[in-house]
């Protein structure tokens, strides 16, 4: 029996895929949005008639309490964050307030208003940072390497703390990088696929990137929101690493993306020191065997399928 779900960050990549999933399952879906002068709901535009939008902000405790009173949700998915790593270097305090303290505010509102609800926290593989072991599992110690990762680590620990201290159903998904055609243009994967489409269509003649040797474990966001939902259906709340278990470099991404439109990336890509991080993370590669065993979760889209899906979507978007 599907119930009521509240999603913070519903207008983001993951929020939009999760909203689709829950709507399809028959949930009554509430989406938390911040008051802004421009409406930015294009990712959920196609299902907006099936979502109730509530205005609230992770920086404002009272607004969160009010949103939870209004929605009276059975499930709360906290996906809202300042989620762009480079911005966390230029706005570290804001990132800490939203991505870190924001989690406490939602949990506190839940404890007071909806203690029987189930809570999902979007944790991140960036928490592993300077990795202690490869691959990383739920037991791997954290060594965050950016203000964003530090804030996410706080959010993760406070979720576990509220679970253990107050007996709340508070689960944490440690998600490795997951992409899609709905990824923001500031993220390197979408920057590449958008760049490929522009170059192919004659709208650009070069693509500037930072560290081409950077490696990530990349999956498809549509698969990963399925894992979030599965975590919320368990008898007990827990932490789960969600990943493909395969790692690829930016060069690998470029190889597939440019080859897909019959171009050679070496002719167009320029390295630009402006895009290098002050501290790079090491080899992030996830061990999601626990999720496979307990949740029965498996990724369905492989790396090549993900890259070509994104290139095709950007070609179509730009009229190719």
């Amino acid at each position: 029996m599907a119930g009521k779900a509240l999603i913070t960050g519903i207008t983001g990549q993951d929020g939009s895929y999760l909203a689709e999933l829950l709507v399809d399952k028959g949930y009554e879906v509430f989406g938390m949005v911040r008051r802004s002068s421009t409406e930015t709901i294009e990712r959920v535009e196609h299902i907006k008639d099936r979502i109730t939008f509530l205005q609230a902000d992770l920086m404002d405790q009272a607004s969160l309490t009010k949103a939870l009173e209004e929605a009276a949700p059975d499930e709360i998915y906290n996906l809202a964050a300042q989620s762009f790593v480079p911005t966390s270097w230029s706005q570290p305090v804001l990132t800490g307030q939203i991505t870190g303290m924001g989690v406490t505010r939602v949990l506190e509102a839940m404890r007071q208003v909806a203690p029987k609800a189930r809570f999902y926290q979007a944790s991140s593989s960036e928490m592993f940072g300077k990795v202690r072991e490869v691959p990383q599992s739920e037991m791997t110690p954290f060594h965050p390497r950016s203000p964003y990762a530090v804030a996410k680590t706080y959010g993760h620990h406070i979720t576990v703390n509220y679970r253990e201290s107050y007996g709340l159903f508070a689960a944490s998904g440690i998600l490795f990088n997951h992409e899609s055609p709905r990824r923001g243009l500031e993220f390197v994967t979408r920057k590449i696929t958008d760049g490929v489409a522009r170059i192919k269509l004659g709208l650009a003649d070069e693509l500037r990137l930072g560290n081409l040797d950077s490696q990530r474990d990349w999956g498809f966001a549509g698969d990963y929101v399925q894992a979030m939902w599965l975590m919320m259906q368990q008898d007990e709340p827990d932490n789960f690493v969600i990943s493909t278990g395969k790692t690829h470099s930016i060069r690998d991404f470029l190889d597939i993306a440019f080859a897909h439109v019959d171009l050679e990336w070496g002719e167009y890509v320029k390295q630009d020191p402006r895009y290098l991080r002050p501290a790079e993370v090491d080899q992030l590669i996830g061990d999601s065997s626990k999720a496979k065993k307990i949740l029965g979760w498996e990724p369905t889209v492989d790396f090549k399928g993900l890259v070509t899906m994104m290139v095709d979507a950007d070609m179509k978007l730009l009229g190719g």
Side-chain angles (χ1 to χ4, degrees):
M1 156 69 190
K4 297 200 282 186
L6 172 68
I7 305 171
T8 77
I10 194 167
T11 60
Q13 167 188 261
D14 293 9
S16 66
Y17 281 108
L18 179 63
E20 279 177 352
L21 177 78
L22 296 179
V23 159
D24 286 346
K25 287 185 182 296
Y27 279 76
E28 186 179 348
V29 176
F30 294 82
M32 205 181 93
V33 289
R34 275 179 310 173
R35 167 79 186 91
S36 76
S37 51
T38 53
E39 287 293 326
T40 52
I41 62 163
E42 63 265 19
R43 289 188 183 98
V44 286
E45 185 72 40
H46 59 298
I47 50 169
K48 69 175 183 189
D49 296 342
R50 300 168 76 182
I51 298 167
T52 304
F53 293 99
L54 302 174
Q55 279 191 5
D57 194 311
L58 288 188
M59 303 277 275
D60 182 54
Q61 185 71 53
S63 71
L64 295 171
T65 303
K66 187 166 179 287
L68 261 65
E69 283 171 346
E70 214 165 312
D74 302 297
E75 297 174 4
I76 301 161
Y77 294 86
N78 184 40
L79 310 187
Q82 190 300 99
S83 63
F84 189 46
V85 174
T87 298
S88 80
W89 295 103
S90 58
Q91 299 187 318
V93 177
L94 179 75
T95 301
Q97 279 289 346
I98 297 172
T99 307
M101 287 299 295
V103 186
T104 316
R105 293 189 191 102
V106 180
L107 284 165
E108 208 28 44
M110 170 184 165
R111 187 171 76 86
Q112 291 170 5
V113 176
K116 293 279 186 283
R118 296 184 165 211
F119 176 85
Y120 171 84
Q121 168 58 13
S123 290
S124 165
S125 61
E126 289 278 338
M127 303 187 306
F128 296 119
K130 193 174 174 62
V131 300
R132 312 285 180 89
E133 59 186 7
V134 178
Q136 295 89 47
S137 74
E138 294 81 6
M139 303 309 291
T140 305
F142 301 135
H143 187 143
R145 296 267 280 172
S146 67
Y148 166 76
V150 172
K152 276 289 183 189
T153 306
Y154 173 89
H156 174 79
H157 282 308
I158 201 71
T159 299
V160 174
N161 189 259
Y162 269 63
R163 176 200 307 166
E164 294 175 353
S165 303
Y166 300 115
L168 298 181
F169 188 109
S172 180
I174 305 171
L175 271 54
F176 279 66
N177 291 62
H178 46 288
E179 317 296 318
S180 74
R182 298 180 194 172
R183 196 46 142 160
L185 285 165
E186 68 273 25
F187 290 86
V188 68
T189 49
R190 182 70 196 292
K191 186 177 174 181
I192 291 170
T193 60
D194 173 73
V196 165
R198 287 178 186 280
I199 289 165
K200 182 65 178 177
L201 297 170
L203 303 172
D205 49 17
E206 67 171 26
L207 176 60
R208 290 182 171 270
L209 298 171
N211 181 9
L212 303 185
D213 297 312
S214 179
Q215 297 200 335
R216 295 290 185 275
D217 179 334
W218 277 299
F220 171 53
D223 285 341
Y224 285 38
V225 300
Q226 182 79 34
M228 297 176 187
W229 179 77
L230 287 167
M231 283 178 223
M232 299 284 258
Q233 312 316 310
Q234 302 307 304
D235 292 336
E236 297 293 331
D238 207 346
N239 308 328
F240 291 93
V241 162
I242 303 297
S243 65
T244 69
K246 298 185 174 75
T247 185
H248 298 277
S249 68
I250 300 288
R251 291 175 196 275
D252 297 334
F253 203 104
L254 291 168
D255 281 340
I256 295 172
F258 276 87
H260 190 55
V261 294
D262 304 315
L263 294 176
E264 180 56 59
W265 68 262
E267 296 173 26
Y268 303 98
V269 174
K270 307 272 191 296
Q271 272 203 279
D272 190 329
R274 278 184 310 169
Y275 299 118
L276 296 174
R277 289 185 182 188
E280 183 54 84
V281 296
D282 298 325
Q283 196 181 0
L284 288 177
I285 173 166
D287 172 3
S288 57
S289 47
K290 179 177 169 182
K292 286 175 181 169
K293 184 173 161 220
I294 296 175
L295 306 177
W297 177 84
E298 292 270 1
T300 64
V301 178
D302 67 5
F303 182 65
K304 186 176 182 184
L306 173 68
V307 179
T308 53
M309 172 204 301
M310 291 176 68
V311 172
D312 288 341
D314 276 324
M315 286 290 289
K316 190 176 170 196
L317 192 65
L318 293 166

